[in-house]
Amino acid sequence: MSMDFEKEEVSATSNQLDEETLFVVSQTFKALSDPTRIRILNLLCSGEYSVNDLAEKLNLGQSTVSHQLRFLKQLRLVKYRRAGTTLYYSEDDDHVMNLLKQAIEHAIHH
Amino acid sequence: MSMDFEKEEVSATSNQLDEETLFVVSQTFKALSDPTRIRILNLLCSGEYSVNDLAEKLNLGQSTVSHQLRFLKQLRLVKYRRAGTTLYYSEDDDHVMNLLKQAIEHAIHH
DNA sequence: TCAATATATGAACATATGCTCATATATTGA
DNA sequence: TCAATATATGAGCATATGTTCATATATTGA
């Protein structure tokens, strides 16, 4: 068995990010880099919304919203609960939502 | 003259982000959504580097690094200082670098 | 079971993105 | 001024991305 280094120590030593960290970080920011997704996530900050609710409030096509929700769902940034034929989506990642809030706050106050 | 609302109050009322905020936020995250740019910014966390330094340390083409630095420069995320023919690049936006550090920390510890 | 409603999906399209190659530009020292 | 070195730039290319359209799927109430 080789020495058991923490990722933290490795990066502190080499100053380089490992492949997996790089992938996770870039994916996270990619999720937040599109205006449509930002608007969806921003609305979900204030509670649950169905697909049609989101589409109406944001003036987007139902298909567009559904596609983006699938994207966000795959990254586990949102989750949903079913009520009949309606799916209520809500946020599912405090850390990422926090990054978004910070960026919005910063943008607004500058 | 119309009433002078703060952006903050508007968004608190309508729960919607204005066009400009949306643009700034998406641009910011777009800058952080590419592995190459993440690696460059992560290195710049530890000090100044010339274009060639960055290319060598990160195993990237000189042109690739230069193009990405131009991108980051336009968003004012990096700046440079000249020393002869060499340009030393360094970080220029504490807030955005902070977002990056948070995401990296979170990715590493999960 | 069937119609109505809500959502998901896939193909097609236009646009955006990132890299590479070749070359241009700029600064320095001789 | 000229060669050497460092960096910037633009075109071209392959791939990724986001939206739309049409249609599929799923759930419910009658």
Side-chain angles (χ1 to χ4, degrees), chain B residues 44 47-51 53-54 69 73 78-92:
Chain B
L44 293 182
E48 284 185 332
Y49 290 87
S50 72
V51 178
D53 286 345
L54 290 168
L69 285 173
K73 181 99 188 10
V78 303
K79 62 182 191 293
Y80 64 80
R81 128 184 114 76
R82 178 181 285 280
T85 61
T86 303
L87 304 185
Y88 289 98
Y89 280 83
S90 56
E91 34 175 318
D92 198 29

Side-chain angles (χ1 to χ4, degrees), chain B residues 30 34 36-37 63-64 67-68 82 84-85:
Chain B
K30 194 157 294 182
D34 176 68
T36 299
R37 287 192 291 272
S63 182
T64 296
H67 278 297
Q68 295 295 7
R82 178 181 285 280
T85 61

Side-chain angles (χ1 to χ4, degrees), chain B residues 26-50:
Chain B
S26 62
Q27 282 296 108
T28 300
F29 285 126
K30 194 157 294 182
L32 301 174
S33 70
D34 176 68
T36 299
R37 287 192 291 272
I38 292 174
R39 294 173 72 207
I40 290 174
L41 291 172
N42 180 62
L43 246 195
L44 293 182
C45 278
S46 65
E48 284 185 332
Y49 290 87
S50 72

